[in-house]
Amino acid sequence: MILDLDIGNTLSKWRLKDVASSEIRSRGAVWTREAWRPGADIPDLDVVSTVRISSVARRAVLEETVALLRRQVGVVHVAHSTREALGVSCGYEEPERLGVDRWMGALAGYHLTGGCCTVDCGSAITIDFVLPGGRHLGGYIVPGLRLMKDSLKLGTRNVAIDPDSEADSLLLPGRNTAAAVNHGIFMAAVSAVNRIYGEVCDREGVALPLLMTGGDARVVSRGLRVPHALWPDMVYAGLEASFPLTAAERAGRLSGAPQVPSPAGLEKLRASLALSMLL
């Protein structure tokens, strides 16, 4: 089995993937910690032959995790943001400072589409662009839904937006404090993604496929005005592309890759952007 780890500052996600069949056997998530417990935080390691890690947690967390896994597994691949990989050139002046989860998403998105906008809706909402030809422009970071809600200190942090809510209802003024906060942060998040996507595509003269991942992607996606696809395993797919271990991965087939809708035409994007700038 392959153990894939996507370690965030707050939450860490894991999955077990069968080497022979390339099927996902199990998955889970735990709070990120320095002292990992196999069988509780991560699966028992007796069935694991190789580990792949994407981590944005503190260095001590990654070092502790790698030390534990190398004692019991041996083969551990740790992803790093680099100047260039898989045909993509990093847009950061110091590539090592780009969050590796964003880099994995950019690599996976480019592998799938040949040029894309990737949006990761986690604690922060990150938006990255890779042009056809592989030039990563860099990106944007804005507060995520939970971070915006917590910052208001209105006692509404545990009142989440229902991911099945109709977008139209979330655009209405809230009639109690929890609703007002939820509708406000929804508007802020989707407005940021819509505007940033439109502005960059307009400036670069290309309408890019838009791919979304992260815990709040399903909520934010409901307010987007442009075609897009949800890809929950996008960071894992970047690990697969960087360290292909199964026959399917070596053939370029990435886990959970969605059907990507054609992007809106550039003229339509520009018309929508011009209208939003008038409002």
Side-chain angles (χ1 to χ4, degrees):
M1 290 285 183
I2 302 163
L3 172 62
D4 289 323
L5 284 174
D6 176 12
I7 304 174
N9 287 307
T10 305
L11 195 67
S12 295
K13 297 171 286 293
W14 61 266
R15 69 176 193 182
L16 283 177
K17 185 174 187 180
D18 189 277
V19 177
S21 67
S22 212
E23 294 179 358
I24 307 304
R25 297 299 187 187
S26 60
R27 61 174 76 226
V30 296
W31 299 115
T32 298
R33 66 175 73 227
E34 292 185 24
W36 294 88
R37 298 169 301 176
D41 297 327
I42 54 180
D44 287 320
L45 299 174
D46 55 352
V47 299
V48 175
S49 59
T50 310
V51 182
R52 299 180 290 205
I53 302 175
S54 167
S55 174
V56 296
R58 292 182 297 110
R59 178 178 295 182
V61 174
L62 178 59
E63 290 176 350
E64 172 70 25
T65 304
V66 171
L68 165 68
L69 294 170
R70 283 188 171 146
R71 286 195 300 270
Q72 301 193 48
V73 177
V75 182
V76 179
H77 300 289
V78 180
H80 298 282
S81 298
T82 57
R83 180 72 60 187
E84 188 278 335
L86 303 177
V88 179
S89 58
C90 183
Y92 261 37
E93 296 173 352
E94 299 177 80
E96 66 277 6
R97 293 187 177 274
L98 174 67
V100 71
D101 53 346
R102 292 170 58 193
W103 186 233
M104 291 297 100
L107 295 181
Y110 183 73
H111 180 94
L112 183 65
T113 65
C116 60
C117 170
T118 57
V119 179
D120 192 333
C121 301
S123 300
I125 297 174
T126 62
I127 307 167
D128 283 89
F129 293 86
V130 183
L131 296 181
R135 183 163 67 95
H136 171 243
L137 299 178
Y140 302 81
I141 302 175
V142 298
L145 303 185
R146 291 171 177 80
L147 190 58
M148 282 193 276
K149 186 181 295 187
D150 291 351
S151 71
L152 294 173
K153 302 185 185 304
L154 294 175
T156 59
R157 62 181 299 176
N158 294 321
V159 185
I161 299 174
D162 182 348
D164 294 320
S165 298
E166 292 296 331
D168 287 348
S169 70
L170 293 170
L171 300 176
L172 297 174
R175 300 182 66 183
N176 57 62
T177 300
V181 169
N182 281 337
H183 294 193
I185 64 175
F186 175 78
M187 287 281 283
V190 300
S191 296
V193 176
N194 279 324
R195 183 66 177 271
I196 289 169
Y197 175 81
E199 290 275 3
V200 174
C201 288
D202 176 39
R203 185 173 62 248
E204 299 296 332
V206 58
L208 296 168
L210 194 156
L211 301 167
M212 303 189 70
T213 195
D216 288 322
R218 189 176 163 207
V219 171
V220 176
S221 74
R222 303 183 78 82
L224 297 191
R225 296 194 300 260
V226 295
H228 57 276
L230 296 176
W231 193 0
D233 276 6
M234 189 161 66
V235 174
Y236 289 140
L239 287 172
E240 293 174 345
S242 300
F243 308 106
L245 298 174
T246 73
E249 292 169 0
R250 288 190 288 269
R253 297 194 295 275
L254 304 181
S255 289
Q259 289 292 112
V260 183
S262 298
L266 193 56
E267 291 308 312
K268 184 176 180 181
L269 275 177
R270 284 171 170 163
S272 177
L273 181 62
L275 177 62
S276 70
M277 293 174 70
L278 289 172
L279 298 176

